[in-house]
Structures are given as C-alpha cells and as structure tokens.
Amino acid sequence: MQTQSSRWLGHGLYLVIMAVLISGVYFAGQKIDYSWHWERLWPYIINTESQDIVAITDGTAVVDAAGRLSIEPDFGDDPQIVNVYDTLVSRHGDLIFQGDTIARIDGWRFGPIAEGLWVTIKISFISLIFAVLLGVMFGLMRVAHGQVWRNLAVTYVEVIRGTPLLVQIFIVYFFIGTVFDLDRFTAGVAALSIFTGAYVAEIVRAGIQSVPVGQMEAARSLGMNYVEAMAYVIMPQAIKRTLPPLAGQFINLIKDSSLVSVISITDLTKAGREVVSGSFAPFEVWFTVAVLYLVVTGGLSLLIQRLEKRLSASD
C-alpha cells in the first residue's frame, strides 16, 4: 500500500523525467539548426482565408435578378453556375477567361489535416465495428464442437495473421476490389476489418476458454442449451476478461489505418505528406499528426477503461 509521501515522491520523479525528455527534444531541435514555423501549419488545420471560385471556361458573366452567377461559355458548352458565394468579383456582362476569379466564399473551413483526421476516425470506427463482428463470429467458431468450423476459423486466423497488412490491402483493393467493383474507402475498410478481425477472434477465443468449464456445466444443468449458455453465462464473463487486450487491438487498428494511404485514401497520414510538400514544415506537420493520433487513441483507451471499471463494479 503506497503512503501519501511515496505517492507525491513518485509524481515528483515523473515530472522530473518528463522535463528531462522535453528538454532533450528541445535542445535536439536547436542542435539541428531548424527554423520552426508553426504559423504555417494553422491554415492546413482551420483555414480562415477566403476561398476563390474560378471560372472553368471562357465566357461571359451573367448575374440574374436573384443574384445567381453563371458563366455562359463562348463555345456552346453547359454554363458554369455559382449558387453560393459571399463576395462577387465579376459583374454582369464581364468577359471571363478560364482561371479568372469570379467570386469568393468568406468564413472558415477545415483544412486538409482536419479532413484527413475525420477520414481516419471514420474508417477506423467502421472497421472496428466489422472487426468485432468478424472476431466474435470466428472466435466462437474456434471453440465450436464441429471440426469443420474450427478448421475454417484456424485457416482464417493463421492466414491473416501470417501475412502483412500492407499486402492484404493491395490484394483487397486490386484483386477483390476489381472483382466486386469496390471503391478505395470500402476496400480500405474491408482490409482493416479482415486483418483486425483475426486478432479479435483469438482474443475472444482466449476469453471464452479462460472461463472455468464448470460455468458451462452449471448453465447446462439449469436447462440451458449451448447457445443460451454461451449468450447468458460464458460471453458476459469473457467480455470482461478480454477488454484490456481488445483495447490494445483497437488502438493498433487506428494506427494501422495509416497504411490505407497507399491506395490513395486521404487519411491523416496522406494529408500530412501532402501538407509537408506544400508548407515545407516537415517537423511541425509530423509532430501535429502524431499528437492527433495520440488524441484519438487516448480517447478510445480512456473510454474502454471507463467501460472496464463499470463492468467490474457490476460483479
């Protein structure tokens, strides 16, 4: 049992260690003679600059009574219609050339890093749901009585765990995606779900087998069939035991989602690479990307910890 003084001593040592680490990073940055430009990064997160609307063809500007702007092309193509704008740059009857600014939209909007973060959260959340469904299904197959179900589950788990995720993403996108006409996002979700589902299956299998055999025997002696015993007796206990490893696997899923950038999904990692090429601030961008990943994974970890405490309090 820790005393109050030892607890405060531990907090003090922790602060000293963190101060040393932060100082080390700071002095390392000074040593490489790098000019930090954090101000370049902000427009790529939240952009408050006006957005120009440019003409896509040569033509004549037409502004109707309702204020709607359209560009009537010179060569009989479909007109370019602009319904939403804040500032009108061109006037009725102006000659417009392709690339000219014809209107502007004021206000703020999300930059590429914020949009990439949203894509990462979305693809991770959807993949997590399907991974849990696959993991529970194949985890139950791993402990099923039928040999064929166990063989199928073992094949799935060993094949998926024995091959790299990057290779699986390529196979799902270029082969399965071509056969079933899947878009990039769907292929990325499928690859992440299949990969993570194999690990979740083993976690579920271990959780079920960690429940004493007498629990199943007691449930069957009360008149429950196998499905009822699994649903009402075994699985509730197994879920409590598997929450910590599941939390780690879900965090790995969020980090592994960065690999979908290889099939041109603009997630947080791909957005970071694009911003680096435009801002020439590589350290600032990658530190920011790392912090955003840490925020997402830390939030998920905190949520699972609270769920674990609530379930343990119900015992």
Side-chain angles (χ1 to χ4, degrees):
M1 191 71 178
Q2 282 188 336
T3 62
Q4 188 71 16
S5 58
S6 63
R7 187 178 295 109
W8 281 110
L9 178 61
H11 289 318
L13 289 175
Y14 165 77
L15 292 176
V16 170
I17 293 172
M18 293 303 299
V20 170
L21 291 176
I22 294 173
S23 300
V25 173
Y26 174 77
F27 287 115
Q30 297 294 320
K31 188 175 181 180
I32 63 176
D33 193 25
Y34 180 78
S35 298
W36 297 87
H37 297 283
W38 291 99
E39 71 281 356
R40 296 180 184 177
L41 196 61
W42 182 249
Y44 294 99
I45 302 175
I46 301 293
N47 194 343
T48 57
E49 298 178 354
S50 299
Q51 180 181 5
D52 291 342
I53 301 175
V54 299
I56 60 176
T57 184
D58 299 341
T60 303
V62 177
V63 181
D64 60 19
R68 187 175 64 172
L69 170 65
S70 61
I71 305 299
E72 298 293 339
D74 294 335
F75 303 104
D77 297 328
D78 293 333
Q80 176 186 358
I81 300 175
V82 180
N83 293 314
V84 179
Y85 61 86
D86 293 308
T87 304
L88 188 63
V89 176
S90 58
R91 303 301 178 189
H92 183 78
D94 287 350
L95 294 178
I96 304 298
F97 297 96
Q98 183 178 1
D100 288 351
T101 300
I102 57 178
R104 291 191 179 94
I105 298 177
D106 301 327
W108 64 274
R109 62 190 182 277
F110 289 116
I113 290 180
E115 292 177 350
L117 174 62
W118 169 243
V119 172
T120 292
I121 293 174
K122 183 167 63 172
I123 197 171
S124 299
F125 180 75
I126 298 174
S127 301
L128 187 150
I129 293 174
F130 286 106
V132 169
L133 295 176
L134 285 173
V136 171
M137 181 178 68
F138 281 96
L140 292 173
M141 290 170 60
R142 290 279 278 121
V143 296
H145 294 305
Q147 187 62 47
V148 62
W149 302 116
R150 292 203 299 270
N151 290 344
L152 288 173
V154 169
T155 302
Y156 164 70
V157 169
E158 295 303 326
V159 168
I160 297 302
R161 294 200 308 174
T163 53
L165 174 58
L166 185 61
V167 174
Q168 294 176 27
I169 291 174
F170 284 137
I171 292 175
V172 170
Y173 178 62
F174 291 108
F175 179 69
I176 300 177
T178 301
V179 172
F180 293 100
D181 194 22
L182 303 179
D183 57 59
R184 290 185 175 89
F185 187 86
T186 304
V189 169
L192 289 173
S193 302
I194 294 170
F195 179 78
T196 306
Y199 290 88
V200 173
E202 281 298 279
I203 293 173
V204 171
R205 190 267 311 164
I208 293 173
Q209 292 182 340
S210 68
V211 178
V213 179
Q215 296 288 314
M216 174 62 76
E217 295 174 351
R220 296 301 296 272
S221 67
L222 292 175
M224 295 184 183
N225 57 34
Y226 180 80
V227 175
E228 291 175 337
M230 288 295 297
Y232 297 114
V233 178
I234 304 301
M235 286 304 294
Q237 298 181 67
I239 289 174
K240 294 180 182 180
R241 298 165 186 251
T242 58
L243 275 180
L246 282 176
Q249 192 57 51
F250 294 158
I251 289 173
N252 286 336
L253 169 62
I254 295 173
K255 295 185 295 184
D256 290 341
S257 68
S258 62
L259 292 177
V260 300
S261 60
V262 299
I263 55 175
S264 298
I265 296 178
T266 309
D267 68 326
L268 184 55
T269 299
K270 188 173 188 297
R273 289 204 301 264
E274 294 175 351
V275 170
V276 166
S277 63
S279 65
F280 301 102
F283 290 163
E284 293 90 335
V285 171
W286 292 123
F287 274 122
T288 302
V289 168
V291 169
L292 291 175
Y293 272 113
L294 183 61
V295 169
V296 176
T297 56
L300 178 61
S301 178
L302 181 62
L303 180 64
I304 294 180
Q305 286 178 13
R306 296 191 64 177
L307 178 60
E308 186 179 356
K309 289 180 180 179
R310 174 168 293 186
L311 291 177
S312 62
S314 63
D315 291 337

